[in-house]
Amino acid sequence: MTVTTTDWETVIGLEVHAELRTETKLFCCCRNSFGEEPNVNVCPVCLGLPGSLPVLNRVAVEYAMRIGTALHCRVQSSIFHRKNYFYPDMPKDYQISQYDIPINAEGWLDLPGGRRVQIERAHMEEDTGKSTHVGGGGRIHEATYSLVDYNRAGVPLVEIVSAPDMRSAEEARAYVDELRSILVATGASDGKMEEGSLRVDANVSVRAKGDGQFGTRCEIKNMNSLRSLGRAIEYEAERQVALITDGGSVAQETRHWDESAGRTGTMRSKEEAYDYRYFPEPDLVPVEPSDEWIASVAASLPRLPAQRRSEIAAASGMGVESESVVTVVRLGLDGYVDAVIASGAGERGTAIAVRRLANEVAAEIGSAAHLTEPAFCRLIAMESDGSLTTAQARTVLRELLDNGGEPDAIAARLGFEAMEAGDLEAVVDQVISAHPDEWSRYVAGEAKLAGFFMNHIKAATEGKADMKAASALLRSRSA
Ligand code: ADP
Ligand code: MG
Ligand code: ZN
């Protein structure tokens, strides 16, 4: 499709489902864990057997409150509803969710670039099980048979619903990225998109630029990376623009993103709220957190990504929007920066640390486990006092990331330590012959000229020379 979208504006609202990192499920004592044998974490409650009753998990409520507080929501008393629909991976045939009175309402999130996205709500609900359709490319209508795993049924989720405030695929990605960092920082979710702990549905509509009203939206499901989220939104916006410019109109529907084909396709026409026959869950009482509990959750929140960025920006002299600062915080490498600051590195050393983390360490995030904070601090000290050049520091860091170890020992092994004695002698002789006048005055007894020569030796060796050895050489040459 080659439609020009310059006169059109894309409008995006996101619904993000985050699985909570609780030990157990939302309404029973089954374990909440990923990647186990199918159907081992099940019981009468999460299998929806007759006569079983749900009991609310207090930790899940606390995690939901943490998320709401971090998103500047009003944390309030709430109730659960039954949302009725038939799905083979949902054993009760209804999902316990929150509807008109969610635990968190009306918050906001600032993107690193500065734009504010309003949050409509962040409510609690239970996850469904997981079906696998065998044969026919994994789609249900072409499958020979389907398998179902209920380990995930009843796992606690918080669904974070944004206002339709985003205007490009890039902004939508930045929003999910920032939201993921916030979720991870609160400790409420691990934010792993690749394991399905973070799932994003995108509502997309288009309108002519300057139009005050929103167009009809489609909801896109099944994007399991930031990359597919971006691609899906771009595809969908172009599809809608093409439809409208061809004289057609957009039908409100739920669409499926096909990653390999690179397009969205109709999944089902959009359900309305009345399709779900919502009614209050009669087996659960309202959730009424006390003011003390709400306050203690707020007080226990760690520093959040936006605050971390401004702290690191201030300590390093870099901008809050600097790509390196954003990356370091997004990848959770900010602990290393704290350690470097605490080691007394100062602004210049902190900036070097941020660059090393955003470049070398970020590229090797999986192996960062080998890199201890003391080793990193020492490496940064060596780079900032000039005992290692940038290129040498990078090589030592590579080794620290791959195998761990001690920077001084690695630098020595790689021959990055002080200069070879012979090289130093050559430099000293060059400096002497380049300044014959000063040299004869020094030899004649003008001792303060020693500093003059030492400075030249330091400069000529880019600070790598052992200055004690250099001064001894200078004296031996004048004798
Ligand atoms: P539903 O309950 O049917 O999913 P909501 O009104 O709760 O509908 O909205 C769901 C999501 O759709 C929200 O994230 C919201 O921002 C987004 N949204 C609503 N209208 C539009 C629109 N015209 N274009 C893009 N997104 C929209
Ligand atoms: Mg919805
Ligand atoms: Zn259970």
Side-chain angles (χ1 to χ4, degrees):
M1 249 183 291
T2 49
V3 176
T4 157
T5 46
T6 43
D7 299 330
W8 294 84
E9 182 174 61
T10 309
V11 173
I12 305 149
L14 298 179
E15 293 165 86
V16 176
H17 291 85
E19 279 183 359
L20 303 182
R21 286 178 56 234
T22 50
E23 290 289 318
T24 56
K25 293 186 180 182
L26 187 52
F27 300 117
C28 62
C29 295
C30 291
R31 278 178 55 76
N32 167 19
S33 74
F34 177 80
E36 289 197 46
E37 280 283 291
N39 298 307
V40 291
N41 296 325
V42 292
C43 75
V45 174
C46 55
L47 288 178
L49 300 188
S52 62
L53 288 171
V55 177
L56 182 59
N57 181 336
R58 182 186 168 92
V59 178
V61 176
E62 172 138 353
Y63 283 175
M65 288 160 68
R66 280 198 208 168
I67 293 173
T69 309
L71 295 173
H72 313 93
C73 290
R74 185 174 73 245
V75 180
Q76 60 186 12
S77 295
S78 61
I79 60 169
F80 284 98
H81 269 72
R82 287 188 185 180
K83 183 179 184 181
N84 296 275
Y85 56 103
F86 175 76
Y87 237 62
D89 54 13
M90 201 182 52
K92 293 197 293 275
D93 283 352
Y94 61 83
Q95 177 187 26
I96 304 181
S97 180
Q98 296 194 307
Y99 179 49
D100 50 352
I101 316 177
I103 184 162
N104 304 302
E106 293 172 351
W108 47 267
L109 174 159
D110 282 339
L111 302 180
R115 258 186 62 109
R116 179 161 293 187
V117 175
Q118 299 294 328
I119 308 286
E120 291 177 357
R121 50 199 272 132
H123 65 265
M124 284 187 278
E125 64 185 25
E126 57 179 341
D127 209 343
T128 59
K130 199 170 164 39
S131 339
T132 306
H133 306 297
V134 182
R139 304 290 301 278
I140 191 167
H141 50 275
E142 289 144 4
T144 13
Y145 61 94
S146 296
L147 298 167
V148 65
D149 174 9
Y150 291 117
N151 284 346
R152 203 180 66 183
V155 161
L157 295 176
V158 164
E159 178 178 343
I160 302 128
V161 182
S162 84
D165 280 357
M166 284 151 281
R167 295 292 177 267
S168 67
E170 201 190 340
E171 236 171 48
R173 292 170 49 139
Y175 168 85
V176 175
D177 225 354
E178 182 67 4
L179 180 56
R180 179 172 57 185
S181 300
I182 294 172
L183 292 171
V184 172
T186 62
S189 175
D190 67 20
K192 288 183 186 158
M193 260 185 129
E194 64 284 5
E195 288 186 5
S197 344
L198 202 74
R199 304 195 290 273
V200 183
D201 299 336
N203 295 270
V204 179
S205 64
V206 297
R207 64 178 173 186
K209 272 203 179 125
D211 193 338
Q213 298 212 322
F214 289 139
T216 303
R217 73 183 194 266
C218 288
E219 182 171 346
I220 315 168
K221 297 204 176 276
N222 190 47
M223 299 152 299
N224 39 30
S225 68
L226 284 184
R227 186 168 171 270
S228 30
L229 172 69
R231 289 178 72 204
I233 290 171
E234 266 159 19
Y235 174 90
E236 181 60 20
E238 287 193 12
R239 186 189 72 86
Q240 293 182 12
V241 169
L243 256 179
I244 298 167
T245 45
D246 280 357
S249 61
V250 176
Q252 184 166 334
E253 60 185 3
T254 303
R255 297 177 68 86
H256 176 272
W257 169 246
D258 184 334
E259 179 68 36
S260 48
R263 57 179 145 78
T264 62
T266 299
M267 205 165 137
R268 54 175 185 255
S269 64
K270 172 78 183 151
E271 304 83 355
E272 298 294 339
Y274 55 74
D275 290 326
Y276 293 121
R277 290 158 180 82
Y278 276 104
F279 65 86
E281 166 61 66
D283 292 335
L284 289 166
V285 295
V287 188
E288 295 175 331
S290 66
D291 292 345
E292 293 75 43
W293 193 15
I294 294 175
S296 84
V297 166
S300 73
L301 274 190
R303 295 170 298 173
L304 296 170
Q307 189 188 348
R308 300 277 31 226
R309 283 193 296 270
S310 46
E311 287 166 357
I312 292 175
S316 64
M318 299 166 117
V320 201
E321 291 171 31
S322 140
E323 202 51 56
S324 298
V325 174
V326 173
T327 302
V328 165
V329 173
R330 174 162 46 82
L331 297 179
L333 297 170
D334 46 315
Y336 289 109
V337 183
D338 286 344
V340 167
I341 295 170
S343 75
E347 188 171 290
R348 193 169 149 270
T350 306
I352 293 175
V354 170
R355 277 197 293 276
R356 288 294 144 268
L357 291 166
N359 299 317
E360 288 76 22
V361 181
E364 298 292 322
I365 192 77
S367 48
H370 290 296
L371 182 67
T372 65
E373 286 179 358
F376 185 67
C377 291
R378 177 66 193 134
L379 175 82
I380 297 306
M382 289 166 83
E383 183 177 344
S384 34
D385 73 13
S387 19
L388 290 177
T389 62
T390 298
Q392 291 173 336
R394 286 204 178 109
T395 310
V396 174
L397 181 52
R398 165 80 289 133
E399 179 63 19
L400 287 172
L401 285 166
D402 289 345
N403 301 310
E406 214 278 309
D408 291 273
I410 295 170
R413 179 153 46 77
L414 294 171
F416 293 163
E417 222 182 1
M419 293 186 63
E420 295 287 328
D423 293 347
L424 182 56
E425 275 186 60
V427 172
V428 171
D429 290 337
Q430 274 163 26
V431 170
I432 292 174
S433 50
H435 305 279
D437 288 350
E438 286 85 347
W439 182 246
S440 39
R441 278 157 58 202
Y442 174 70
V443 174
E446 208 174 317
K448 67 171 200 288
L449 277 169
F452 167 87
F453 283 106
M454 294 306 278
N455 282 339
H456 276 85
I457 294 166
K458 197 170 182 177
T461 57
E462 292 172 319
K464 272 177 285 172
D466 174 350
M467 294 318 275
K468 263 195 198 147
S471 139
L473 271 172
L474 205 60
R475 263 181 276 115
S476 75
R477 290 286 191 277
S478 68

